[in-house]
Amino acid sequence: MVPNKFRTQRRSFGDGGEHRQSVFDSADRVLFVLIGTNLVVTTLWSKADTHLRKAMMVAFFTTSIVHLEKGNYHTVFTSMFSHVDLSQLFTNMLGLYFFGRDISHILGSKRFLGLYLAGGVLSSCAALEEQMRSRRVSPNLGANGAVNAITALSILLYPHTTFRVFGILPVRSWFAGSLFIGRDFFDWIGKNRDALFASLASIGCGGLYYVSMLRNVRRLR
């Protein structure tokens, strides 16, 4: 059940008022900066037309146990903004916009950014842990984990919100979100175990954030 505090706050956006408008603008700004950053890094991949450029992109915008062994810990962060596959980029950014916009308004820009980063980092760490266990090196990249954490929180807060696909077909939020997150489970069926553990970690991140929100509401009562 969604706490009344979150229901009220969600309806209040766009109702007017200088303070609400500034929060709205700030939340949207962070959302579009995240989308823009992903687009920029993907563009850099498309421009990597030489061996040196490709090597630089792999070194800075993917992560693996080899990266950690070399001390490139920053790649745990940078890899969450990196996409080589345009279809993966499109799907992630579409999910980030539709599931993330309301969440960004609820959390505010700083906490929304924190959730995005936390989901991405935990997802990367889970994938790296699986690589260490299996000793199978595979470059990890993509915003799947970050967006999955936001999607999981959106499902928990607003499971019965209706999306209209192409403005016509109504789809419940819990169903659309489950299909979105389920992409990684299909990858697992395709023998990509990293995707499974990364997805579970990101879902757990969104779930834990939801629990912390409920606890904060109860303390205020």
Coordinates of all heavy atoms in Angstrom, one line a residue, residues 20-101:
R20 N 7.0 24.4 -5.3 CA 6.8 23.2 -6.0 C 7.4 23.2 -7.4 O 7.9 22.2 -7.9 CB 5.3 22.9 -6.1 CG 4.7 22.5 -4.8 CD 3.2 22.4 -4.8 NE 2.6 22.0 -3.6 CZ 1.3 22.1 -3.3 NH1 0.5 22.5 -4.3 NH2 0.8 21.8 -2.1
Q21 N 7.3 24.4 -8.1 CA 7.8 24.5 -9.4 C 9.3 24.3 -9.4 O 9.8 23.7 -10.3 CB 7.4 25.8 -10.0 CG 7.7 26.0 -11.5 CD 7.0 25.0 -12.4 OE1 5.8 24.7 -12.1 NE2 7.7 24.5 -13.4
S22 N 10.0 24.9 -8.4 CA 11.4 24.8 -8.4 C 11.9 23.3 -8.2 O 12.8 22.9 -8.7 CB 12.0 25.7 -7.3 OG 11.6 25.2 -6.0
V23 N 11.1 22.6 -7.3 CA 11.4 21.2 -7.1 C 11.2 20.4 -8.4 O 12.0 19.6 -8.7 CB 10.6 20.6 -5.9 CG1 10.8 19.1 -5.8 CG2 10.9 21.3 -4.6
F24 N 10.1 20.7 -9.0 CA 9.8 20.0 -10.3 C 10.9 20.2 -11.3 O 11.4 19.3 -11.9 CB 8.5 20.6 -10.8 CG 8.1 20.0 -12.1 CD1 7.3 18.8 -12.2 CD2 8.4 20.5 -13.3 CE1 6.9 18.2 -13.4 CE2 8.0 20.0 -14.5 CZ 7.3 18.8 -14.6
D25 N 11.4 21.5 -11.4 CA 12.4 21.8 -12.4 C 13.7 21.1 -12.0 O 14.4 20.5 -12.9 CB 12.7 23.3 -12.5 CG 11.5 24.0 -13.1 OD1 10.7 23.4 -13.8 OD2 11.4 25.2 -12.9
S26 N 14.1 21.1 -10.8 CA 15.3 20.4 -10.3 C 15.3 19.0 -10.6 O 16.2 18.4 -11.0 CB 15.5 20.7 -8.8 OG 16.6 20.1 -8.3
A27 N 14.1 18.3 -10.3 CA 14.0 16.9 -10.5 C 14.1 16.5 -11.9 O 14.8 15.6 -12.3 CB 12.7 16.4 -9.9
D28 N 13.4 17.3 -12.8 CA 13.5 17.0 -14.2 C 14.9 17.3 -14.8 O 15.4 16.5 -15.6 CB 12.5 17.9 -15.0 CG 11.1 17.3 -15.1 OD1 11.0 16.1 -14.7 OD2 10.2 18.0 -15.5
R29 N 15.6 18.3 -14.2 CA 16.9 18.6 -14.7 C 17.9 17.4 -14.5 O 18.6 17.0 -15.4 CB 17.4 19.8 -14.0 CG 18.7 20.4 -14.6 CD 19.1 21.7 -13.9 NE 18.1 22.7 -13.9 CZ 17.5 23.1 -12.8 NH1 17.9 22.7 -11.6 NH2 16.6 24.0 -12.8
V30 N 17.8 16.8 -13.3 CA 18.7 15.7 -13.0 C 18.3 14.5 -13.9 O 19.2 13.8 -14.4 CB 18.6 15.3 -11.5 CG1 19.3 13.9 -11.3 CG2 19.2 16.3 -10.6
L31 N 17.1 14.3 -14.1 CA 16.6 13.2 -15.0 C 17.2 13.3 -16.4 O 17.7 12.4 -16.9 CB 15.1 13.1 -15.0 CG 14.5 12.0 -15.9 CD1 14.8 10.6 -15.4 CD2 13.0 12.2 -16.0
F32 N 17.1 14.5 -16.9 CA 17.5 14.7 -18.3 C 19.1 14.8 -18.4 O 19.6 14.4 -19.4 CB 16.9 16.0 -18.9 CG 15.4 15.8 -19.2 CD1 14.5 16.6 -18.5 CD2 15.0 14.9 -20.1 CE1 13.1 16.5 -18.8 CE2 13.6 14.7 -20.4 CZ 12.7 15.5 -19.7
V33 N 19.7 15.2 -17.3 CA 21.2 15.1 -17.3 C 21.7 13.7 -17.3 O 22.6 13.4 -18.1 CB 21.7 15.9 -16.1 CG1 23.2 15.5 -15.8 CG2 21.6 17.4 -16.2
L34 N 21.0 12.8 -16.6 CA 21.3 11.4 -16.6 C 21.1 10.8 -18.0 O 22.0 10.1 -18.5 CB 20.5 10.6 -15.6 CG 20.8 10.9 -14.1 CD1 19.8 10.2 -13.2 CD2 22.2 10.4 -13.8
I35 N 20.0 11.1 -18.6 CA 19.7 10.6 -20.0 C 20.8 11.2 -21.0 O 21.3 10.5 -21.8 CB 18.3 11.0 -20.4 CG1 17.3 10.3 -19.6 CG2 18.1 10.7 -21.9 CD1 15.8 10.7 -19.9
G36 N 21.1 12.5 -20.8 CA 22.0 13.1 -21.7 C 23.4 12.5 -21.6 O 24.1 12.3 -22.6
T37 N 23.8 12.2 -20.3 CA 25.1 11.6 -20.1 C 25.2 10.2 -20.8 O 26.3 9.9 -21.4 CB 25.4 11.5 -18.6 OG1 25.3 12.8 -18.0 CG2 26.8 10.9 -18.3
N38 N 24.2 9.5 -20.6 CA 24.2 8.2 -21.3 C 24.3 8.3 -22.8 O 25.0 7.5 -23.5 CB 22.9 7.4 -21.0 CG 23.0 6.7 -19.6 OD1 23.4 5.6 -19.5 ND2 22.5 7.4 -18.6
L39 N 23.6 9.3 -23.4 CA 23.6 9.5 -24.8 C 25.0 10.0 -25.3 O 25.5 9.5 -26.3 CB 22.6 10.6 -25.2 CG 21.1 10.2 -25.1 CD1 20.3 11.5 -25.4 CD2 20.8 9.1 -26.1
V40 N 25.7 10.8 -24.5 CA 27.0 11.3 -24.8 C 28.0 10.1 -24.8 O 28.8 10.0 -25.8 CB 27.5 12.4 -23.8 CG1 29.0 12.6 -24.0 CG2 26.7 13.7 -24.0
V41 N 28.0 9.3 -23.8 CA 28.9 8.2 -23.7 C 28.7 7.2 -24.9 O 29.6 6.6 -25.5 CB 28.8 7.4 -22.4 CG1 29.7 6.2 -22.3 CG2 29.2 8.4 -21.2
T42 N 27.4 7.0 -25.2 CA 27.1 6.1 -26.3 C 27.6 6.7 -27.6 O 28.1 5.9 -28.5 CB 25.6 5.9 -26.4 OG1 25.1 5.3 -25.2 CG2 25.2 4.9 -27.6
T43 N 27.5 8.0 -27.8 CA 28.1 8.6 -29.0 C 29.6 8.5 -29.0 O 30.1 8.2 -30.1 CB 27.7 10.1 -28.9 OG1 26.3 10.3 -28.9 CG2 28.3 10.9 -30.2
L44 N 30.2 8.5 -27.9 CA 31.7 8.3 -27.9 C 32.0 6.9 -28.4 O 33.0 6.6 -29.1 CB 32.2 8.5 -26.5 CG 32.2 9.9 -25.9 CD1 32.7 9.9 -24.5 CD2 33.1 10.8 -26.8
W45 N 31.2 5.9 -28.0 CA 31.4 4.5 -28.5 C 31.3 4.5 -30.0 O 32.1 3.8 -30.7 CB 30.3 3.6 -27.9 CG 30.7 3.0 -26.6 CD1 30.1 3.3 -25.3 CD2 31.7 2.0 -26.3 NE1 30.7 2.6 -24.3 CE2 31.7 1.8 -24.9 CE3 32.6 1.3 -27.1 CZ2 32.5 0.8 -24.3 CZ3 33.4 0.3 -26.4 CH2 33.4 0.1 -25.1
S46 N 30.3 5.2 -30.6 CA 30.1 5.2 -32.0 C 31.3 5.9 -32.7 O 31.5 5.6 -33.9 CB 28.8 5.9 -32.4 OG 28.9 7.3 -32.1
K47 N 32.0 6.7 -32.0 CA 33.2 7.4 -32.6 C 34.5 6.7 -32.4 O 35.5 7.1 -32.9 CB 33.3 8.8 -32.0 CG 32.1 9.7 -32.2 CD 31.9 10.1 -33.7 CE 30.7 11.0 -33.8 NZ 30.4 11.3 -35.3
A48 N 34.4 5.6 -31.7 CA 35.6 4.8 -31.4 C 35.9 3.9 -32.6 O 35.6 2.7 -32.6 CB 35.4 4.0 -30.1
D49 N 36.4 4.5 -33.7 CA 36.7 3.8 -34.9 C 38.1 3.3 -35.1 O 38.5 2.8 -36.2 CB 36.2 4.6 -36.1 CG 36.9 6.0 -36.0 OD1 37.7 6.3 -35.1 OD2 36.6 6.8 -36.9
T50 N 38.9 3.4 -34.1 CA 40.3 2.9 -34.1 C 40.5 2.0 -32.9 O 39.8 2.0 -32.0 CB 41.3 4.1 -34.1 OG1 41.3 4.7 -32.8 CG2 41.0 5.1 -35.2
H51 N 41.5 1.2 -33.0 CA 41.9 0.3 -31.9 C 42.2 1.0 -30.6 O 41.7 0.6 -29.6 CB 43.1 -0.6 -32.3 CG 43.5 -1.5 -31.2 ND1 42.7 -2.7 -30.9 CD2 44.5 -1.5 -30.4 CE1 43.3 -3.3 -29.9 NE2 44.4 -2.6 -29.6
L52 N 42.9 2.1 -30.8 CA 43.2 2.9 -29.6 C 42.0 3.5 -28.9 O 41.8 3.5 -27.7 CB 44.2 4.1 -30.0 CG 44.6 5.0 -28.8 CD1 45.3 4.2 -27.7 CD2 45.5 6.1 -29.4
R53 N 41.1 4.1 -29.7 CA 39.9 4.6 -29.1 C 39.0 3.6 -28.5 O 38.4 3.8 -27.4 CB 39.1 5.4 -30.2 CG 39.8 6.7 -30.7 CD 39.0 7.3 -31.8 NE 39.6 8.6 -32.3 CZ 39.1 9.3 -33.2 NH1 38.0 9.0 -33.9 NH2 39.8 10.4 -33.6
K54 N 38.9 2.4 -29.1 CA 38.1 1.4 -28.5 C 38.7 0.9 -27.2 O 38.0 0.6 -26.3 CB 38.0 0.2 -29.5 CG 37.1 0.5 -30.7 CD 37.0 -0.7 -31.7 CE 36.2 -0.4 -32.9 NZ 36.1 -1.6 -33.8
A55 N 40.0 0.8 -27.2 CA 40.7 0.4 -26.0 C 40.5 1.4 -24.9 O 40.3 1.0 -23.7 CB 42.2 0.2 -26.3
M56 N 40.4 2.7 -25.2 CA 40.2 3.7 -24.2 C 38.8 3.6 -23.7 O 38.5 3.8 -22.5 CB 40.4 5.1 -24.8 CG 41.9 5.4 -25.1 SD 42.1 7.0 -25.8 CE 41.5 8.1 -24.5
M57 N 37.8 3.3 -24.5 CA 36.4 3.2 -24.1 C 36.2 2.0 -23.2 O 35.6 2.1 -22.2 CB 35.5 3.1 -25.3 CG 35.4 4.4 -26.1 SD 34.8 5.8 -25.2 CE 33.1 5.3 -24.8
V58 N 36.9 0.9 -23.6 CA 36.8 -0.3 -22.7 C 37.5 -0.1 -21.4 O 37.0 -0.5 -20.3 CB 37.5 -1.5 -23.4 CG1 37.6 -2.7 -22.5 CG2 36.7 -1.9 -24.7
A59 N 38.5 0.7 -21.4 CA 39.3 1.0 -20.1 C 38.5 1.9 -19.2 O 38.6 1.7 -18.0 CB 40.6 1.6 -20.5
F60 N 37.8 2.8 -19.8 CA 37.1 3.9 -18.9 C 35.6 3.6 -18.7 O 35.1 4.1 -17.7 CB 37.3 5.3 -19.5 CG 38.7 5.8 -19.3 CD1 39.6 5.7 -20.4 CD2 39.1 6.4 -18.1 CE1 40.9 6.2 -20.2 CE2 40.4 6.9 -18.0 CZ 41.3 6.8 -19.0
F61 N 35.0 2.9 -19.6 CA 33.5 2.9 -19.6 C 33.0 1.4 -19.5 O 31.8 1.2 -19.9 CB 32.9 3.6 -20.7 CG 33.1 5.1 -20.6 CD1 34.0 5.8 -21.4 CD2 32.4 5.9 -19.7 CE1 34.2 7.1 -21.3 CE2 32.6 7.2 -19.6 CZ 33.5 7.9 -20.4
T62 N 33.8 0.5 -19.2 CA 33.3 -0.9 -18.9 C 34.0 -1.3 -17.6 O 35.0 -0.7 -17.2 CB 33.6 -1.9 -20.0 OG1 35.1 -2.2 -20.0 CG2 33.1 -1.5 -21.3
T63 N 33.5 -2.3 -16.9 CA 34.1 -2.8 -15.7 C 34.2 -4.3 -15.7 O 33.3 -4.9 -16.3 CB 33.4 -2.2 -14.4 OG1 34.2 -2.5 -13.3 CG2 32.0 -2.9 -14.3
S64 N 35.2 -4.8 -15.0 CA 35.3 -6.3 -14.9 C 36.4 -6.5 -13.8 O 36.9 -5.6 -13.2 CB 35.9 -6.9 -16.2 OG 37.2 -6.4 -16.5
I65 N 36.6 -7.8 -13.5 CA 37.6 -8.1 -12.4 C 39.0 -7.7 -12.9 O 39.8 -7.4 -12.0 CB 37.5 -9.6 -12.1 CG1 37.7 -10.5 -13.3 CG2 36.2 -9.9 -11.4 CD1 37.8 -12.0 -13.0
V66 N 39.2 -7.6 -14.2 CA 40.5 -7.2 -14.7 C 40.7 -5.7 -14.4 O 41.8 -5.2 -14.0 CB 40.6 -7.4 -16.2 CG1 41.9 -6.8 -16.7 CG2 40.6 -8.9 -16.5
H67 N 39.6 -4.9 -14.5 CA 39.7 -3.5 -14.2 C 40.0 -3.3 -12.7 O 40.8 -2.4 -12.4 CB 38.3 -2.8 -14.5 CG 38.1 -2.6 -16.0 ND1 37.7 -3.7 -16.8 CD2 38.1 -1.5 -16.8 CE1 37.5 -3.2 -18.0 NE2 37.8 -1.9 -18.0
L68 N 39.4 -4.1 -11.9 CA 39.6 -4.0 -10.4 C 41.1 -4.4 -10.1 O 41.7 -3.7 -9.2 CB 38.7 -4.8 -9.6 CG 37.2 -4.5 -9.8 CD1 36.3 -5.3 -8.8 CD2 36.9 -3.0 -9.6
E69 N 41.6 -5.4 -10.7 CA 42.9 -5.8 -10.5 C 44.0 -4.8 -10.9 O 45.0 -4.7 -10.3 CB 43.2 -7.1 -11.2 CG 42.5 -8.3 -10.6 CD 42.6 -9.6 -11.5 OE1 43.1 -9.4 -12.7 OE2 42.1 -10.6 -11.1
K70 N 43.6 -3.9 -11.8 CA 44.5 -2.9 -12.3 C 44.3 -1.6 -11.5 O 44.9 -0.6 -11.7 CB 44.2 -2.5 -13.7 CG 44.7 -3.7 -14.7 CD 44.4 -3.3 -16.1 CE 44.9 -4.4 -17.1 NZ 44.7 -4.0 -18.5
G71 N 43.3 -1.6 -10.5 CA 43.0 -0.5 -9.7 C 42.1 0.6 -10.3 O 41.9 1.7 -9.8
N72 N 41.4 0.2 -11.4 CA 40.5 1.1 -12.0 C 39.1 1.0 -11.4 O 38.1 0.6 -12.0 CB 40.4 0.8 -13.5 CG 41.7 1.0 -14.2 OD1 42.5 1.9 -13.8 ND2 42.0 0.2 -15.3
Y73 N 39.0 1.4 -10.1 CA 37.7 1.2 -9.4 C 36.7 2.2 -9.9 O 35.5 2.0 -9.7 CB 38.0 1.4 -7.9 CG 39.0 0.5 -7.3 CD1 40.2 0.9 -6.9 CD2 38.7 -0.9 -7.2 CE1 41.2 0.0 -6.4 CE2 39.6 -1.8 -6.7 CZ 40.9 -1.3 -6.3 OH 41.8 -2.2 -5.8
H74 N 37.1 3.3 -10.5 CA 36.1 4.3 -11.0 C 35.2 3.7 -12.1 O 34.1 4.2 -12.3 CB 36.9 5.5 -11.6 CG 37.7 5.1 -12.8 ND1 38.9 4.6 -12.7 CD2 37.4 5.2 -14.2 CE1 39.4 4.4 -14.0 NE2 38.5 4.8 -14.8
T75 N 35.6 2.6 -12.7 CA 34.8 2.0 -13.8 C 33.5 1.4 -13.2 O 32.5 1.2 -14.0 CB 35.5 0.9 -14.5 OG1 36.0 -0.1 -13.6 CG2 36.7 1.5 -15.2
V76 N 33.4 1.2 -11.9 CA 32.2 0.7 -11.3 C 31.1 1.8 -11.4 O 29.9 1.5 -11.6 CB 32.4 0.4 -9.8 CG1 31.1 0.0 -9.1 CG2 33.4 -0.8 -9.7
F77 N 31.5 3.1 -11.5 CA 30.6 4.2 -11.7 C 30.4 4.5 -13.2 O 29.3 4.6 -13.6 CB 31.1 5.4 -11.0 CG 31.1 5.4 -9.5 CD1 32.2 4.9 -8.8 CD2 29.9 5.8 -8.8 CE1 32.1 4.9 -7.4 CE2 29.9 5.7 -7.4 CZ 31.0 5.3 -6.7
T78 N 31.5 4.6 -13.9 CA 31.4 5.1 -15.3 C 30.7 4.1 -16.2 O 30.0 4.5 -17.2 CB 32.8 5.4 -15.8 OG1 33.6 4.2 -15.7 CG2 33.5 6.5 -15.1
S79 N 30.8 2.8 -15.8 CA 30.2 1.8 -16.7 C 28.6 1.9 -16.7 O 28.0 1.4 -17.7 CB 30.6 0.4 -16.3 OG 30.2 0.1 -14.9
M80 N 28.0 2.5 -15.7 CA 26.6 2.6 -15.7 C 26.0 3.6 -16.6 O 24.8 3.8 -16.7 CB 26.1 2.9 -14.2 CG 26.3 4.3 -13.7 SD 25.7 4.6 -12.1 CE 26.9 3.7 -11.1
F81 N 26.9 4.4 -17.3 CA 26.5 5.4 -18.2 C 26.8 4.9 -19.7 O 26.7 5.7 -20.6 CB 27.1 6.7 -18.0 CG 26.8 7.3 -16.6 CD1 27.6 7.2 -15.5 CD2 25.6 8.0 -16.5 CE1 27.3 7.7 -14.3 CE2 25.2 8.5 -15.2 CZ 26.1 8.4 -14.1
S82 N 27.2 3.7 -19.8 CA 27.8 3.2 -21.1 C 27.0 2.2 -21.8 O 26.6 1.2 -21.1 CB 29.2 2.7 -20.8 OG 29.9 2.2 -21.9
H83 N 26.7 2.4 -23.0 CA 26.0 1.5 -23.9 C 26.6 1.4 -25.2 O 26.9 2.4 -25.9 CB 24.5 1.9 -24.1 CG 23.7 2.1 -22.8 ND1 23.8 3.2 -22.0 CD2 22.8 1.2 -22.2 CE1 23.0 3.0 -20.9 NE2 22.4 1.8 -21.0
V84 N 26.8 0.1 -25.7 CA 27.3 -0.1 -27.0 C 26.1 -0.4 -27.9 O 26.0 0.0 -29.1 CB 28.3 -1.2 -27.1 CG1 28.7 -1.5 -28.5 CG2 29.5 -0.9 -26.3
D85 N 25.2 -1.1 -27.4 CA 24.0 -1.5 -28.1 C 22.9 -0.4 -28.1 O 22.5 0.0 -27.0 CB 23.4 -2.8 -27.5 CG 22.3 -3.4 -28.3 OD1 21.7 -2.7 -29.2 OD2 21.9 -4.6 -28.1
L86 N 22.5 0.1 -29.2 CA 21.6 1.2 -29.2 C 20.2 0.8 -28.7 O 19.5 1.6 -28.1 CB 21.4 1.7 -30.7 CG 22.6 2.5 -31.2 CD1 22.4 3.0 -32.6 CD2 23.0 3.7 -30.3
S87 N 19.8 -0.5 -28.9 CA 18.5 -0.9 -28.5 C 18.5 -1.0 -26.9 O 17.5 -0.7 -26.3 CB 18.2 -2.3 -29.0 OG 19.2 -3.3 -28.6
Q88 N 19.7 -1.3 -26.3 CA 19.8 -1.3 -24.9 C 19.7 0.1 -24.3 O 19.0 0.4 -23.3 CB 21.1 -2.0 -24.4 CG 21.2 -2.0 -22.9 CD 22.6 -2.4 -22.5 OE1 23.6 -2.2 -23.2 NE2 22.8 -3.0 -21.3
L89 N 20.3 1.0 -25.0 CA 20.3 2.4 -24.6 C 18.8 2.9 -24.7 O 18.4 3.6 -23.8 CB 21.2 3.3 -25.6 CG 21.0 4.8 -25.4 CD1 21.6 5.3 -24.1 CD2 21.7 5.5 -26.6
F90 N 18.2 2.7 -25.8 CA 16.8 3.2 -26.0 C 15.9 2.6 -24.9 O 15.1 3.3 -24.3 CB 16.3 2.7 -27.4 CG 14.8 3.1 -27.6 CD1 14.5 4.4 -27.9 CD2 13.8 2.2 -27.5 CE1 13.2 4.8 -28.1 CE2 12.5 2.5 -27.7 CZ 12.2 3.8 -28.0
T91 N 16.0 1.3 -24.6 CA 15.1 0.7 -23.6 C 15.4 1.2 -22.2 O 14.5 1.6 -21.5 CB 15.3 -0.8 -23.6 OG1 15.1 -1.4 -24.9 CG2 14.4 -1.5 -22.6
N92 N 16.7 1.4 -21.9 CA 17.0 1.9 -20.6 C 16.6 3.4 -20.4 O 16.0 3.7 -19.3 CB 18.5 1.8 -20.3 CG 18.9 0.4 -19.9 OD1 18.1 -0.3 -19.3 ND2 20.1 0.1 -20.1
M93 N 16.8 4.2 -21.4 CA 16.4 5.6 -21.3 C 14.9 5.8 -21.3 O 14.3 6.6 -20.6 CB 17.0 6.4 -22.4 CG 18.5 6.5 -22.3 SD 19.2 7.0 -20.7 CE 19.6 5.5 -19.9
L94 N 14.2 4.9 -22.0 CA 12.7 5.0 -22.0 C 12.2 4.6 -20.6 O 11.3 5.2 -20.1 CB 12.2 4.0 -23.1 CG 10.7 4.1 -23.4 CD1 10.4 5.4 -24.1 CD2 10.3 2.9 -24.3
G95 N 12.8 3.5 -20.0 CA 12.4 3.1 -18.7 C 12.7 4.2 -17.7 O 12.0 4.4 -16.7
L96 N 13.9 4.8 -17.8 CA 14.3 5.8 -16.9 C 13.4 7.0 -16.9 O 13.0 7.5 -15.8 CB 15.7 6.3 -17.2 CG 16.3 7.4 -16.3 CD1 16.4 7.0 -14.9 CD2 17.7 7.8 -16.8
Y97 N 12.9 7.3 -18.1 CA 12.0 8.5 -18.2 C 10.6 8.1 -17.6 O 10.1 8.9 -16.7 CB 11.9 8.9 -19.6 CG 10.9 10.1 -19.8 CD1 11.3 11.4 -19.5 CD2 9.6 9.9 -20.2 CE1 10.4 12.4 -19.6 CE2 8.7 10.9 -20.3 CZ 9.1 12.2 -20.0 OH 8.2 13.3 -20.2
F98 N 10.0 7.0 -18.0 CA 8.7 6.7 -17.6 C 8.6 6.3 -16.2 O 7.6 6.7 -15.5 CB 8.1 5.7 -18.5 CG 7.6 6.2 -19.9 CD1 8.3 6.0 -21.0 CD2 6.5 7.0 -19.9 CE1 7.9 6.5 -22.2 CE2 6.0 7.5 -21.2 CZ 6.7 7.2 -22.3
F99 N 9.5 5.5 -15.7 CA 9.5 5.1 -14.3 C 10.1 6.1 -13.4 O 9.8 6.1 -12.2 CB 10.1 3.7 -14.1 CG 9.3 2.6 -14.8 CD1 9.8 2.0 -16.0 CD2 8.1 2.1 -14.3 CE1 9.1 1.0 -16.6 CE2 7.4 1.1 -14.9 CZ 7.9 0.6 -16.0
G100 N 11.1 6.8 -13.9 CA 11.9 7.7 -13.1 C 11.3 9.1 -12.8 O 11.7 9.7 -11.8
R101 N 10.4 9.5 -13.7 CA 10.0 10.9 -13.6 C 9.2 11.2 -12.3 O 9.5 12.1 -11.6 CB 9.2 11.4 -14.8 CG 9.1 12.9 -14.9 CD 8.5 13.3 -16.2 NE 8.6 14.8 -16.3 CZ 7.9 15.5 -17.2 NH1 7.0 14.9 -18.0 NH2 8.0 16.8 -17.2

